[in-house]
C-alpha cells in the first residue's frame, strides 16, 4: 500500500511517501521553489516523491493531510469571540482568507491533486489527521522503539499546543493535551520576536544567543508570564501577549516588564539585555520540557521517549531531557516541525486509518539517516556543471575523499554535495559546508565570509559515532544534530580570570577547547554522530581527515547562505559556491577549486534572498 502525506498552508510545506509502511521519499517545498519556509501547496515536493518511486498519483492508495482545517477555523472563531472586541482586528484580517481558501481546504486540495493527475475519491481516499497526532506519529512510528512515551510541543495546531501519549506497536494514543492560547512554543516565539528575530524562523537564533547571557529574567518570566506546575503543565498570563487579539506577539505590558520595545531587526545591535532575555527564556523552556518529560516517565513507566513538534528542535532542551528526563533513550524526529507533519500524516494513514502492522527498523531507525530527498547521477552532475561553465576534474571515490580531506586539513572551506538531500532543517553530510574544527578562525570565517550571517551563531560538529565519547560528555546516537552536550573536559582549555570575566560577544574571542570552531561559548556543542551504515561516503571523509590530523570531527553547516533554503540541485550548489568564499566544491565525483573558475561567474549570492 502507498500513502502520500502532505503538510501545507502555514509554513514549511512538504510531502512524504510511504510504501508498505517504509519511508520512500520526503522533501520540503522550499528546496525546489527556493523560497524559505514556503507554505504553498507542495506541488514540487509531491512530484519529486512520485518521480523517485517511479509512479504516478494514480498509484497512490491514500492521501493524508496533516491537520483538520475545520477545527482550526473553530479555534479562530472561538478565540476572536472570547477576546471580543479586541479580537476583531485578527478576525477581520483572517476571515476573508478562510472563506476564500482554508474553509474549503478539502475541495482546494482535491482540485490541486486533480491537476497533478489524481483520480481518487476525495470522500474515501483523501483523509485528514490532527496536527499533534501527525507530530506524534512522525516521532513514534519511525523510531527504533517497540513502545515509547511520546511528547509533542509546538506553537499551535488546531487547538493543541502540547500533547502526551503512548505508542505500542501500530497503536498510538494521545492521553492529554494543553490547548491554545497556552503555548510554550508561542511563549518562545514571543521572545524571538522581542529580540528582533523572525517568528517561525529565528527561534534557533535565540537558542544560539542564550549562552552569551545570564538568565537574569527567569524569575520575572515565571512570576509574571507563565505558571508552571510540578508535572510541567502550564498556563500563560495572556495580558502580556498580543497574539490572540492583534497582529504582533507582545504588547506594551510585556515591553514595560522587560525594559523597552522590541529590538528593530537589522538596525539595532544586540545588547547584553537581549542576551540575558534569550538565556532566561531558554532556561524556562528547559524547565518546562524537563518537568513534562519526568512526569511522563513516571506516569507511563516507559523507558523510551519520542519527541516532535517545533519545540523538539530545541537541541539544548533535548540534551537535558536525555541526561535528566528519566528515560533510558530518547528519539527525536529530524523534521520535527510542520514539514515532518507530512510524514506523520502518512504514518497515520497507514497504521491508524488502514490498520497495517508496524515493523520496527532493524537499523538506527526508520528514517534512513533522513536522506530522503533528490539525488543526481554522476553523469547528470557532469552535464549540468558543463552547462554552467564550471571547471572541474572527475575523480574516483578514494581520490575525491582524500583530496577533500587534504583541503580541510589545510584550513579550506569545502562544499559537500553528495547523494540524497536531507529531509528536515539540518544538513547532515549530503548538502553541507565543511571545515576544520581545530581552527580558531573557522567559526568567524564561515559565519561572515561564507554564510553571510550573524557572527554569534555556533556551528555543529560531525563526529564518528565510535569517537563521540572521547570528545563530548555523551555516549549516545545523535544522527540528526538534535542533542547538545558539553565538550569533554579533557578537550577544554583552562581560562584566565580575565577570559572568564568576558561578557556578551566578547566571549567569542576565547578558544575554549581544542575544537574551537564547534565549541560554543558555554562549552557545549550541537552534535551529529556519523554512521557508516547511513552515510558511508561522509564517514570515509571524516576518517581520511582523522588520518591526516588525528581528529575524527568536522565542522558541518548547511550548504546555503542566510535566508536561502539548503541547496537542492547542482545548479543551486554551484551558484552558492561561486557567490561565497567556499574554496572547494565536491559534487558527486566532480572536484572544483574556486581559484580555477571563471571570475565572471561569481555573483553576490548573499543578496539574492530575503534575510531570515
Amino acid at each position: 500500500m502507498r500513502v502520500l502525506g502532505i503538510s501545507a498552508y502555514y509554513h514549511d510545506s512538504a510531502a512524504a511517501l510511504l510504501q508498505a509502511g517504509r519511508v520512500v521519499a520526503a522533501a520540503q517545498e522550499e528546496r525546489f521553489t527556493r523560497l524559505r519556509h514556503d507554505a504553498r501547496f507542495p506541488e514540487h515536493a509531491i512530484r519529486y516523491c512520485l518521480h523517485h518511486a517511479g509512479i504516478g498519483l494514480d498509484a497512490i492508495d491514500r492521501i493524508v493531510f496533516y491537520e483538520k482545517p475545520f477545527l482550526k477555523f473553530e479555534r479562530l472563531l472561538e478565540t476572536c469571540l472570547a477576546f471580543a472586541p479586541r479580537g476583531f482586528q485578527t478576525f477581520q484580517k483572517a476571515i476573508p482568507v478562510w472563506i476564500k481558501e482554508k474553509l474549503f481546504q478539502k475541495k482546494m486540495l482535491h482540485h490541486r491533486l486533480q491537476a497533478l493527475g489524481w483520480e481518487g475519491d476525495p470522500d474515501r481516499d483523501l483523509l485528514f489527521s490532527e496536527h499533534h497526532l501527525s507530530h506524534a506519529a512522525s516521532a513514534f512510528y519511525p523510531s527504533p522503539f517497540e513502545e515509547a512515551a511520546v511528547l509533542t510541543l509546538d506553537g499551535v495546531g488546531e487547538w493543541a499546543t502540547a500533547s502526551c501519549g503512548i505508542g505500542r506497536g501500530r497503536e498510538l494514543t494521545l492521553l492529554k493535551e494543553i490547548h491554545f492560547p497556552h503555548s510554550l512554543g508561542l511563549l518562545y516565539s514571543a521572545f524571538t520576536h522581542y529580540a528582533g528575530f523572525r517568528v517561525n524562523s529565528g527561534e534557533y537564533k535565540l537558542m544560539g544567543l542564550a549562552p552569551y547571557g545570564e538568565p537574569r529574567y527567569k524569575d520575572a518570566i515565571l512570576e509574571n508570564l507563565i505558571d508552571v506546575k510540578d508535572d510541567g503543565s502550564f498556563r500563560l498570563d495572556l495580558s502580556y501577549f498580543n497574539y490572540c487579539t492583534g497582529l504582533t506577539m507582545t504588547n506594551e505590558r510585556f515591553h514595560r516588564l522587560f525594559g523597552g520595545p522590541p529590538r528593530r531587526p537589522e538596525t539595532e545591535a544586540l545588547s547584553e539585555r537581549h542576551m540575558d532575555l534569550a538565556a532566561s527564556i531558554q532556561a524556562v523552556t528547559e524547565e518546562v520540557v524537563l518537568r513534562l518529560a519526568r512526569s511522563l516517565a513516571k506516569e507511563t513507566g516507559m523507558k523510551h521517549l519520542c519527541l516532535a513538534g517545533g519545540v523538539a528542535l530545541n537541541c539544548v532542551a533535548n540534551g537535558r531531557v536525555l541526561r535528566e528526563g528519566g528515560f533510558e533513550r530518547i528519539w527525536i524526529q529530524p523534521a520535527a516541525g510542520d514539514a515532518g507533519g507530512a510524514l506523520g500524516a502518512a504514518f497515520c494513514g497507514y497504521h491508524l486509518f488502514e490498520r497495517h502492522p508496524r515493523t520496527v527498523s532493524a537499523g538506527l531507525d526508520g528514517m534512513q539517516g533522513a536522506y530522503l530527498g533528490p539525488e543526481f547521477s554522476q553523469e547528470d552532475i557532469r552535464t549540468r556543471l558543463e552547462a554552467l561553465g564550471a571547471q572541474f576534474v572527475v575523480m574516483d571515490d578514494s581520490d575525491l575523499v582524500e583530496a577533500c580531506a587534504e583541503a580541510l586539513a589545510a584550513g579550506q572551506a569545502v562544499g559537500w554535495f553528495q547523494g540524497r538531500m536531507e529531509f528536515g532543517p539540518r544538513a547532515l553530510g549530503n548538502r553541507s559546508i565543511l571545515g576544520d574544527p581545530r581552527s580558531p578562525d573557522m567559526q568567524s570565517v564561515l559565519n561572515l565570509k561564507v554564510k553571510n550571517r550573524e557572527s554569534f551563531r555556533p556551528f555543529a560538529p560531525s563526529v564518528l559515532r565510535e569517537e563521540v565519547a572521547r570528545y563530548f560528555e555523551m555516549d549516545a546516537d545523535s544522527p540528526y544534530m538534535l542533542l547538545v552536550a558539553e565538550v569533554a573536559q579533557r578537550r577544554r582549555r583552562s581560562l584566565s580570570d580575565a577570559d572568564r570575566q568576558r561578557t556578551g560577544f566578547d566571549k567569542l574571542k576565547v578558544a575554549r577547547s581544542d575544537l574551537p570552531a564547534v565549541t560554543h561559548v558555554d562549552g557545549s556543542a550541537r552534535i551529529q554522530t556519523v554512521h557508516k551504515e547511513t552515510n558511508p561516503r561522509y564517514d570515509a571523509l571524516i576518517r581520511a581527515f582523522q588520518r591526516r590530523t588525528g581528529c575524527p570531527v568536522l565542522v558541518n553547516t548547511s550548504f546555503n547562505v542566510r535566508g536561502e533554503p539548503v541547496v537542492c540541485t547542482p545548479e543551486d550548489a554551484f551558484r552558492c559556491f561561486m557567490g561565497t568564499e567556499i574554496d572547494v566544491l565536491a559534487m558527486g565525483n566532480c572536484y572544483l577549486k574556486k581559484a580555477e573558475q571563471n571570475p565572471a561567474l561569481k555573483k553576490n549570492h548573499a543578496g539574492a534572498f530575503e534575510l531570515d
Side-chain angles (χ1 to χ4, degrees), residues 132-412:
H132 271 255
L133 182 60
S134 295
H135 277 320
S138 78
F140 174 62
Y141 287 119
S143 79
F145 310 134
E146 180 62 37
E147 61 177 24
V150 182
L151 176 61
T152 70
L153 293 156
D154 67 2
V156 61
E158 294 90 357
W159 277 105
T161 65
S163 71
C164 300
I166 292 177
R168 285 190 178 97
R170 76 177 176 194
E171 301 299 334
L172 175 61
T173 305
L174 298 186
L175 303 173
K176 52 187 177 181
E177 297 177 336
I178 296 173
H179 282 182
F180 181 88
H182 306 287
S183 168
L184 184 63
L186 289 176
L187 175 65
Y188 203 89
S189 291
F191 280 87
T192 300
H193 159 79
Y194 190 65
F197 304 130
R198 185 171 294 183
V199 172
N200 291 328
S201 173
E203 283 78 5
Y204 59 95
K205 297 185 186 182
L206 197 70
M207 182 179 66
L209 186 64
Y212 293 93
E214 299 294 331
R216 306 184 198 280
Y217 299 95
K218 180 181 177 181
D219 289 345
I221 295 171
L222 291 171
E223 291 169 5
N224 295 278
L225 302 189
I226 184 170
D227 177 22
V228 188
K229 304 303 182 185
D230 289 343
D231 65 356
S233 60
F234 56 85
R235 290 183 65 84
L236 302 185
D237 184 338
L238 300 174
S239 66
Y240 288 92
F241 303 95
N242 208 31
Y243 57 78
C244 288
T245 60
L247 303 176
T248 59
M249 295 299 297
T250 57
N251 61 23
E252 288 301 321
R253 192 176 187 199
F254 185 104
H255 305 161
R256 286 195 300 272
L257 180 63
F258 295 111
R263 185 178 75 92
R264 297 184 300 276
E266 310 306 328
T267 60
E268 182 182 348
L270 286 162
S271 68
E272 288 189 27
R273 181 173 70 94
H274 298 116
M275 299 171 199
D276 291 343
L277 285 164
S280 301
I281 189 57
Q282 178 63 34
V284 169
T285 299
E286 292 171 27
E287 181 76 17
V288 175
V289 175
L290 268 177
R291 290 191 194 185
L292 285 166
R294 289 167 177 163
S295 172
L296 193 55
K298 184 177 180 179
E299 183 177 336
T300 65
M302 291 287 180
K303 296 180 179 179
H304 304 139
L305 173 68
C306 301
L307 292 160
V311 176
L313 293 172
N314 192 307
C315 49
V316 182
N318 295 342
R320 290 198 63 190
V321 170
L322 175 65
R323 296 188 297 273
E324 307 168 44
F327 291 94
E328 291 180 7
R329 294 173 64 193
I330 71 172
W331 190 86
I332 308 141
Q333 166 55 236
D338 276 14
L343 182 64
F347 275 118
C348 285
Y350 188 79
H351 292 298
L352 295 181
F353 301 158
E354 296 298 327
R355 310 300 297 163
H356 289 289
R358 171 178 179 249
T359 302
V360 178
S361 174
L364 277 173
D365 54 52
M367 289 297 293
Q368 303 169 52
Y371 306 115
L372 297 167
E375 63 182 330
F376 300 84
S377 69
Q378 174 59 31
E379 187 56 37
D380 192 13
I381 290 171
R382 181 171 188 158
T383 300
R384 290 171 183 243
L385 285 177
E386 288 173 348
L388 290 167
Q391 300 298 312
F392 60 91
V393 295
V394 177
M395 300 180 174
D396 64 26
D397 292 356
S398 177
D399 288 345
L400 179 88
V401 164
E402 294 298 330
C404 289
E406 187 66 35
L408 289 163
Q412 295 184 313

Side-chain angles (χ1 to χ4, degrees), residues 323 468-469 471-475 485-490 527:
R323 296 188 297 273
V468 66
Y471 285 81
F472 306 98
E473 300 292 343
M474 185 183 87
D475 190 7
E486 297 291 311
V487 174
Q489 284 297 324
R490 61 181 171 276
I527 297 162

Side-chain angles (χ1 to χ4, degrees), residues 33 89 192 417:
T33 63
Q89 186 180 14
T192 300
F417 184 103

Side-chain angles (χ1 to χ4, degrees), residues 2 16-26 48-49 52-54 343 366 368 371-373 420:
R2 297 187 182 97
L17 178 63
L18 298 187
Q19 189 163 290
R22 179 177 173 271
V23 188
V24 173
Y48 153 68
C49 289
H52 181 81
L343 182 64
Q368 303 169 52
Y371 306 115
L372 297 167
R420 297 183 70 180

